[in-house]
Amino acid sequence: MLENLKPERVFHYFEELTKIPRESGNEQAVSDFLYKTGKDLGLETIQDESNNIIIRKPAHPDYVDHPSVVIQGHMDMVAEKADGVDHDFLTDPIPLVVDGDWVKTEGTTLGADDGIASAIGLAIMEDKNAKHPALELLVTTNEETTMVGARALKRENIKGRKLLNIDAEVEGILLSGCSGGHNIIGTKKLNYVDNKMKNTFVMNINNMLGGHSGMEIHQQRGNSIKFAREALKLIEEKSPLALVSIEGGTKHNAIPRDAKVVFSSNEDDYDVDFSDLIAKYPLDKDMRVKIEKCDNADKVLDENDKKDILSFIEEVPHGVYSMMKEYPDIVECSNNLAIFEIKDDVLKVTISLRSSNPETFDAHTEDVSKVYEKYGFEVKKEDYYKPWAFAKESELRNLALETYKDLFGKEMKVEVVHAALEPAVFIDTFPDMEMISIGPTMKDVHSPKERLSIESTQRTYEFVKSLLERL
């Protein structure tokens, strides 16, 4: 499929990766593939206890006295698919499509985040003519969930002290810092009573735009859980209802695209006009809302739990909390109302909160926790990662900016990103390491509309090779 694209070896390896299921937590096969590839190239290759892969390539003869460099990315991907798409992320390869300058898919996430890092790294590792210092290609596990691979990395396994993280999403922007964050989890035992309504209905909300809960949280993309609450208000205008369940979202780092609400009422059918409500979400123009009758439920939530859940959805924040003073176009603090799920009569709500400022991080965590507690949830925090602080001085960053301008005749921007990057974890293990994050242009990552620019990938590969040569 991608054999005619350039750089040929980059897209060769990228296509090979798309054939291997590699959702976070299901990375054994891709880790084994990377290990075998490194060995087949005749290079020293390590597969550690967390399935991280380290492939070492000796320096070009002209660079043997230069300090070694790390090329780094992660092997896992976010697994999201559009409503109605038949795809099993445990077994099926990603269906690739080439459309002009874009590599994309048929209704699933692409995995360019972050398969392209491994593809670029492997292409450089096999290139016998490339000029560079000694290289280490580091590919970690579970970046999209807990960063457990980065957390488990041992200091003695990495020799380089300059690291190129290839996990940025806009070519021409160099990332030199990122937000910290954690998940705030609320659980609530639900109480049910006998259903006295004569009919039960299911409302499905599908195909909202979704996207990355850090990179795109400021773009006013709709949240399916918030939308479900607004839709229920319109339904309640017709007659009272009893709530059976409300669920939505699948990943803490993806803005929820779909939701499902089951409710009972004494109506025989519903023909609710949602057009005015949908019009409030202009970016979600492809969304669908459908109400159908289903088997009548025996039990419904008691009235107090129903009111608490619906009030909680209204009150709990979602979106931007504050913007950075130094970079007014960059989000400082935000949260994503990510997952609503019910299992064994317990409602579990996951909110992902990010901030590059400890003060707003603590303040907003307290605000969210108070809303949880107001409506009877037990609260816990998990998967904390601290910010990757912006370095005022960096020889690596300066050389990267100079290299990009020399190659392409334009300035590279420096930014701090409102998303989690592994350098935030590495800085604890390697406090003496200089790090930058770069990458080719991608759009709509963490959603089935994810796509990768071919021309940008070619420029990024050229940029990385040139930067290594200057190092």
Side-chain angles (χ1 to χ4, degrees):
M1 171 62 72
L2 306 184
E3 61 269 11
N4 294 321
L5 303 185
K6 294 182 178 181
E8 292 178 2
R9 297 305 292 172
V10 172
F11 281 107
H12 162 76
Y13 281 117
F14 181 70
E15 185 166 5
E16 289 301 302
L17 288 167
T18 65
K19 297 175 184 177
I20 306 170
R22 52 192 176 91
E23 181 178 8
S24 303
N26 182 38
E27 297 141 306
Q28 187 65 57
V30 67
S31 179
D32 290 346
F33 166 79
L34 293 168
Y35 180 80
K36 181 178 185 301
T37 301
K39 287 292 190 180
D40 288 347
L41 291 173
L43 301 175
E44 180 186 359
T45 305
I46 298 170
Q47 186 178 46
D48 73 10
E49 296 87 346
S50 296
N51 276 328
N52 296 319
I53 295 295
I54 303 162
I55 303 174
R56 295 195 177 115
K57 182 183 180 184
H60 182 277
D62 295 341
Y63 289 76
V64 291
D65 59 343
H66 293 221
S68 59
V69 179
V70 184
I71 301 172
Q72 189 267 325
H74 61 88
M75 65 184 75
D76 60 319
M77 64 176 283
V78 169
E80 286 278 300
K81 61 183 178 180
D83 180 50
V85 171
D86 183 16
H87 184 91
D88 187 342
F89 282 104
L90 293 177
T91 58
D92 298 342
I94 300 296
L96 297 176
V97 175
V98 177
D99 182 6
D101 182 48
W102 299 101
V103 177
K104 56 185 186 179
T105 74
E106 297 177 343
T108 73
T109 36
L110 175 63
D113 176 14
D114 189 28
I116 198 60
S118 295
I120 288 173
L122 289 173
I124 292 172
M125 300 304 269
E126 77 168 19
D127 186 349
K128 292 181 170 57
N129 297 315
K131 294 183 178 182
H132 51 69
L135 295 180
E136 293 169 299
L137 174 59
L138 167 62
V139 191
T140 54
T141 55
N142 266 288
E143 188 271 353
E144 298 289 5
T145 52
T146 61
M147 295 199 188
V148 67
R151 296 176 193 274
L153 189 64
K154 295 180 179 177
R155 181 177 173 87
E156 58 267 27
N157 281 344
I158 296 296
K159 300 176 181 179
R161 289 299 179 265
K162 294 184 186 297
L163 182 141
L164 312 181
N165 169 271
I166 305 178
D167 196 15
E169 297 169 12
V170 182
E171 184 215 339
I173 294 179
L174 181 150
L175 303 178
S176 192
C178 73
S179 65
H182 61 181
N183 293 330
I184 311 175
I185 311 295
T187 54
K188 177 182 175 70
K189 179 69 175 177
L190 300 176
N191 299 298
Y192 292 87
V193 296
D194 290 338
N195 185 11
K196 297 181 180 180
M197 303 284 192
K198 68 177 184 177
N199 290 312
T200 300
F201 300 85
V202 57
M203 176 174 63
N204 284 297
I205 300 161
N206 298 112
N207 215 38
M208 297 184 81
L209 184 55
H212 192 299
S213 65
M215 300 295 289
E216 289 143 350
I217 195 69
H218 61 294
Q219 295 180 3
Q220 306 303 316
R221 301 183 179 204
N223 180 310
S224 60
I225 300 166
K226 289 284 191 177
F227 184 94
R229 175 61 187 116
E230 295 302 309
L232 283 172
K233 287 182 181 179
L234 294 179
I235 294 170
E236 287 179 301
E237 289 178 1
K238 187 169 184 176
S239 64
L241 62 83
L243 187 62
V244 179
S245 65
I246 178 168
E247 298 183 280
T250 59
K251 303 288 189 302
H252 75 92
N253 52 4
I255 300 168
R257 306 173 57 252
D258 305 315
K260 178 181 177 181
V261 182
V262 181
F263 64 93
S264 294
S265 79
N266 289 321
E267 298 295 326
D268 292 320
D269 58 66
Y270 279 92
D271 185 19
V272 180
D273 183 4
F274 294 106
S275 57
D276 288 344
L277 177 57
I278 292 172
K280 296 180 180 179
Y281 298 83
L283 295 178
D284 299 272
K285 58 183 182 298
D286 296 327
M287 71 178 295
R288 296 187 299 272
V289 185
K290 188 174 183 180
I291 301 176
E292 297 178 299
K293 187 179 288 187
C294 60
D295 293 340
N296 203 28
D298 294 327
K299 299 285 185 178
V300 297
L301 290 172
D302 73 16
E303 192 64 16
N304 287 333
D305 276 356
K306 169 197 160 183
K307 289 180 179 178
D308 282 350
I309 290 170
L310 297 182
S311 296
F312 171 82
I313 296 173
E314 281 195 71
E315 189 170 338
V316 74
H318 168 85
V320 175
Y321 184 75
S322 59
M323 305 296 287
M324 291 186 68
K325 294 178 181 178
E326 302 89 343
Y327 302 93
D329 295 331
I330 299 175
V331 179
E332 177 184 77
C333 184
S334 75
N335 74 287
N336 177 40
L337 175 58
I339 307 172
F340 244 67
E341 53 188 334
I342 297 174
K343 185 177 181 180
D344 298 329
D345 297 345
V346 174
L347 171 62
K348 179 181 178 182
V349 179
T350 301
I351 291 174
S352 175
L353 188 146
R354 307 172 189 262
S355 181
S356 54
N357 182 332
E359 291 183 4
T360 57
F361 182 88
D362 292 342
H364 200 38
T365 294
E366 184 177 355
D367 290 345
V368 171
S369 299
K370 285 180 178 178
V371 179
Y372 269 129
E373 291 163 358
K374 177 179 177 179
Y375 293 104
F377 287 85
E378 294 184 6
V379 186
K380 68 176 182 178
K381 292 93 173 178
E382 62 182 29
D383 299 332
Y384 170 76
Y385 56 95
K386 69 180 184 181
W388 167 28
F390 180 84
K392 292 183 179 180
E393 299 293 335
S394 170
E395 292 181 3
L396 175 60
R397 183 174 68 222
N398 292 340
L399 184 59
L401 297 176
E402 179 184 304
T403 302
Y404 191 87
K405 185 176 182 181
D406 289 347
L407 281 174
F408 307 119
K410 54 184 178 182
E411 300 283 351
M412 196 177 206
K413 293 178 63 179
V414 177
E415 291 188 358
V416 174
V417 68
H418 187 65
L421 290 172
E422 286 166 299
V425 175
F426 294 145
I427 203 67
D428 279 341
T429 310
F430 309 98
D432 52 343
M433 183 178 280
E434 271 193 278
M435 297 178 284
I436 61 172
S437 181
I438 55 177
T441 295
M442 308 176 208
K443 298 287 188 181
D444 295 319
V445 300
H446 297 187
S447 87
K449 295 182 182 293
E450 181 184 357
R451 55 202 186 275
L452 169 69
S453 168
I454 298 165
E455 292 182 0
S456 179
T457 300
Q458 186 167 7
R459 287 191 296 271
T460 300
Y461 182 59
E462 182 181 353
F463 171 51
V464 173
K465 289 185 69 176
S466 296
L467 179 56
L468 291 173
E469 190 169 344
R470 294 189 181 200
L471 283 166

